[in-house]
Amino acid sequence: MPLIVFYTFFLVFSVIHDSTSCLLHLLLLAELFVHSSSHPTHSSPLCGTFRSMIHQVDKLTSLPKKLHDLTDDGDLFEGVENRLDSLPKMQHTAAHFNSLKVNESLSQLFEFSQSFRLHVEWLKTAKENFSLSSQSAEDASSHLLQLSNLVNASLSQMEEEVPQSPSPSLPVASTAFDVLQFSVEISKRLQVFCDWSKRILLLLQRLSHCHKH
């Protein structure tokens, strides 16, 4: 029988004549209740930053399709060989998501967001070289920069080393059609990155015991 239950029965069925002794027993019982009750889990100081990161990812999610402005989501290029091997590749296996660690996941998120920003900046320049609209690329670059800055700040707060981002080796966009093809390729991979990032950040919130708002 649990100690608290035994003690309750003891108080109920014992005849206690001395009021001082009765008060002492009641105080001891109250102490048992306090220590046996579950205490709330403290949330991580990173919780607010996680919310800001998710906000940036949500803003970014609406932009990939605007990079190419095609109505068919780029199906015209289905089967065409991808030429941007330097774009990040995300893992979507259950084993990967089930083994998340906050520091490792944030480091990976920083590397990916920085890599995509460099690719989008390159695409922006390529679009401008052919007098194509580059506003969507500029907007995407801005949100990727804000996301990577937030991750950088979180890693610094955790006293974790911020990974270095090597400059990718990018091909030359020699025609407007090249730019369109690269736009579609970056668009599709950026959409995958947004989905992956949102899932990672929601899981990190749960691991960090963040309260939902």
Side-chain angles (χ1 to χ4, degrees), residues 13-198:
F13 294 105
S14 295
V15 179
I16 304 173
H17 298 287
D18 183 65
S19 59
T20 303
S21 177
C22 179
L23 179 60
L24 176 62
H25 281 76
L26 288 174
L27 288 172
L28 289 172
L29 181 60
E31 185 73 12
L32 283 173
F33 272 112
V34 169
H35 285 290
S36 62
S37 62
S38 59
H39 296 281
T41 306
H42 295 292
S43 60
S44 167
L46 295 176
C47 290
T49 311
F50 286 148
R51 287 192 294 272
S52 297
M53 291 181 197
I54 290 173
H55 176 70
Q56 291 301 325
V57 172
D58 286 340
K59 292 286 187 181
L60 191 60
T61 299
S62 64
L63 294 173
K65 291 181 180 180
K66 296 180 182 179
L67 289 177
H68 54 66
D69 289 324
L70 295 175
T71 57
D72 61 357
D73 293 337
D75 293 340
L76 174 66
F77 293 93
E78 284 296 330
V80 176
E81 182 181 1
N82 291 331
R83 298 163 62 185
L84 298 176
D85 296 331
S86 53
L87 281 170
K89 297 177 177 63
M90 279 66 69
Q91 294 187 53
H92 291 270
T93 63
H96 173 71
F97 288 114
N98 290 334
S99 61
L100 287 182
K101 294 180 180 178
V102 176
N103 57 342
E104 294 176 1
S105 298
L106 287 177
S107 294
Q108 197 171 45
L109 180 58
F110 178 80
E111 290 183 65
F112 289 171
S113 59
Q114 281 286 80
S115 178
F116 271 106
R117 188 178 68 83
L118 292 173
H119 282 82
V120 170
E121 279 289 318
W122 167 81
L123 179 63
K124 175 178 175 290
T125 301
K127 282 175 171 283
E128 290 172 347
N129 288 341
F130 289 93
S131 301
L132 300 172
S133 174
S134 61
Q135 186 60 52
S136 57
E138 185 175 340
D139 292 342
S141 177
S142 175
H143 290 301
L144 285 164
L145 177 60
Q146 292 180 67
L147 175 61
S148 62
N149 285 343
L150 287 166
V151 181
N152 189 331
S154 298
L155 288 170
S156 298
Q157 186 175 346
M158 296 169 63
E159 298 184 346
E160 291 285 338
E161 184 177 353
V162 179
Q164 297 297 315
S165 301
S167 298
S169 177
L170 295 166
V172 175
S174 54
T175 66
F177 187 78
D178 276 344
V179 176
L180 180 58
Q181 182 179 343
F182 291 135
S183 298
V184 171
E185 189 173 349
I186 293 176
S187 168
K188 289 184 176 181
R189 295 287 284 277
L190 184 59
Q191 186 64 62
V192 173
F193 168 73
C194 290
D195 296 340
W196 178 88
S197 300
K198 182 72 172 284

